[in-house]
Amino acid sequence: MPERAAGTGSTGSVETVAGPVRDPGATLMHEHIFGLSPEILWNWPDIPEGWDLELRAREAADKLTELKGHGIDTIVDLTVIGLGRYVPAVQRVAELTEVNIVVATGIYTYDALPPYFGNRGPGSLFGGPDRLAEFFVRDIAEGIGDTGVKAGILKCASDHLGMTAGCERVFRAAAQAHRATGVPITTHSHSASRGGLEQQKLLASEGVDLSRVVIGHAGDSTDLTYLEELIANGSYLGMDRFGINTISPFEDRVATVAALCERGHAGRMVLSHDSYCFNDRFDHEVVRRRHPDYHLLHISRDVLPELRRRGVTEEQIHRMLVANPRDILTRREPY
């Protein structure tokens, strides 16, 4: 396990691209600014999607500024290695908008690790120490690359394949980095197979306080028994794919949040879309036609009014959008 990291920022604050803030305000906890495919962009720069940093940064900033007008102050950008994280572009966006942006460290894979890590470390082709936690801690304590931007959250994933050997290495490294730095953990989980429980079990085995964990994509499930089991184990639920109605329709997503609020669980949920300002992996026109609500304004425009109509109180909405994210993101002491 890494030693406690020095220089990780003061406790009691939230690390953003522009530096630490005391109060992030209304926060969407699972979004993305850019999803990029570097090798495609390097080798076929004329693809229709195109990549011009200044153009895409201004487009993204315009979307975030519009979001600010709908009452959202902060977004958590969970783009990590495996999704095309490029923090210099996110820095430019942050210069152009008043919305706070929290960035993440971690690795996104459902199966094997990227070869750089897959060929190094215990049980790999070349063996040696597992340096994943070291890399994650560096992003948190020193900053990402040469940007000086410090990650404010750890991201790890498992999906329909379950906790593969590669995923397990990432989860264990995230747990170690979490304990060394005090920053929270959020996950990508597969609700259909109740995958959040497996994630909790592994993180707990590494000594993680599960109240410092968000089980992402829990909102894909309508199984209240499963969701309440995740809550009973201590974690927050990421009700964070509003607008992706092919996995779970709008009606089911809002009904599930309303039911959990009625059962007294508003203090254990956060809201988001899992949307992108720009993603070269998708055909934008196809996405627009198939997912017309898959955008940053859907929660403000559609979800919150429907939750209110179903009896969710302003206090509960404030808890899910403001108080819970602040509690999750505020830096704690290592342990």
Side-chain angles (χ1 to χ4, degrees):
M1 178 175 173
E3 296 181 0
R4 292 188 178 191
T8 54
S10 62
T11 57
S13 63
V14 174
E15 197 68 55
T16 76
V17 171
V21 299
R22 284 288 174 183
D23 186 358
T27 302
L28 299 179
M29 283 291 295
H30 194 130
E31 305 293 348
H32 302 273
I33 305 292
F34 301 124
L36 304 175
S37 305
E39 289 187 288
I40 303 299
L41 297 174
W42 292 340
N43 292 287
W44 296 295
D46 58 340
I47 59 173
E49 292 77 12
W51 173 253
D52 178 289
L53 190 154
E54 185 65 18
L55 171 64
R56 298 305 182 189
R58 291 187 176 277
E59 290 174 347
D62 287 346
K63 292 178 180 180
L64 294 182
T65 297
E66 187 176 12
L67 181 63
K68 179 78 170 181
H70 283 75
I72 302 298
D73 304 297
T74 299
I75 69 162
V76 180
D77 179 358
L78 293 181
T79 311
V80 294
I81 303 303
L83 290 172
R85 184 181 70 175
Y86 186 50
V87 171
V90 180
Q91 277 185 297
R92 181 59 181 141
V93 176
E95 292 171 354
L96 297 169
T97 181
E98 295 181 2
V99 174
N100 301 310
I101 304 171
V102 177
V103 296
T105 186
I107 292 181
Y108 184 89
T109 178
Y110 299 164
D111 189 359
L113 286 165
Y116 180 91
F117 294 107
N119 290 331
R120 295 171 167 87
S124 70
L125 180 62
F126 296 104
D130 193 336
R131 299 184 63 194
L132 283 175
E134 174 192 335
F135 278 65
F136 299 163
V137 169
R138 182 191 303 175
D139 284 355
I140 295 164
E142 301 175 20
I144 297 166
D146 60 1
T147 66
V149 173
K150 296 177 180 179
I153 194 166
L154 287 143
K155 166 79 175 291
C156 42
S158 63
D159 203 79
H160 62 288
L161 298 174
M163 193 62 69
T164 66
C167 291
E168 181 176 345
R169 274 185 63 187
V170 177
F171 270 79
R172 292 196 186 281
Q176 292 161 17
H178 158 75
R179 294 194 61 191
T181 64
V183 304
I185 297 172
T186 192
T187 77
H188 165 111
S189 72
H190 187 247
S191 283
S193 61
R194 298 164 59 92
L197 295 173
E198 185 178 34
Q199 294 180 348
Q200 287 182 318
K201 182 178 179 180
L202 193 151
L203 291 171
S205 76
E206 288 284 335
V208 171
D209 174 357
L210 293 180
S211 71
R212 302 291 293 137
V213 176
V214 180
I215 301 298
H217 308 330
D220 290 350
S221 177
T222 59
D223 182 348
L224 297 184
T225 300
Y226 165 61
L227 297 175
E228 288 191 313
E229 189 171 352
L230 294 174
I231 292 171
N233 289 338
S235 298
Y236 291 86
L237 305 182
M239 316 305 276
D240 52 24
R241 274 181 164 174
F242 278 102
I244 308 181
N245 296 327
T246 51
I247 296 175
S248 183
F250 177 83
E251 168 69 23
D252 288 350
R253 291 187 186 277
V254 294
T256 300
V257 172
L260 289 170
C261 284
E262 186 175 8
R263 294 185 182 203
H265 299 309
R268 283 292 157 191
M269 288 186 285
V270 293
L271 307 177
S272 217
H273 307 92
D274 194 17
S275 69
Y276 286 81
C277 293
F278 173 80
N279 189 345
D280 66 20
R281 302 175 184 203
F282 302 148
D283 183 303
H284 300 288
E285 277 304 305
V286 173
V287 171
R288 186 184 62 80
R289 290 196 305 270
R290 292 183 181 177
H291 304 282
D293 296 327
Y294 183 51
H295 56 77
L296 284 169
L297 302 180
H298 179 48
I299 286 174
S300 298
R301 286 178 174 174
D302 307 312
V303 174
L304 297 183
E306 182 61 18
L307 289 175
R308 293 182 178 108
R309 192 184 72 78
R310 291 168 181 262
V312 176
T313 67
E314 293 303 320
E315 181 181 356
Q316 290 171 323
I317 289 172
H318 184 271
R319 171 57 64 181
M320 293 185 287
L321 269 182
V322 179
N324 291 346
R326 183 181 62 234
D327 290 347
I328 293 163
L329 292 170
T330 297
R331 178 67 60 80
R332 310 278 184 86
E333 292 285 352
Y335 62 97

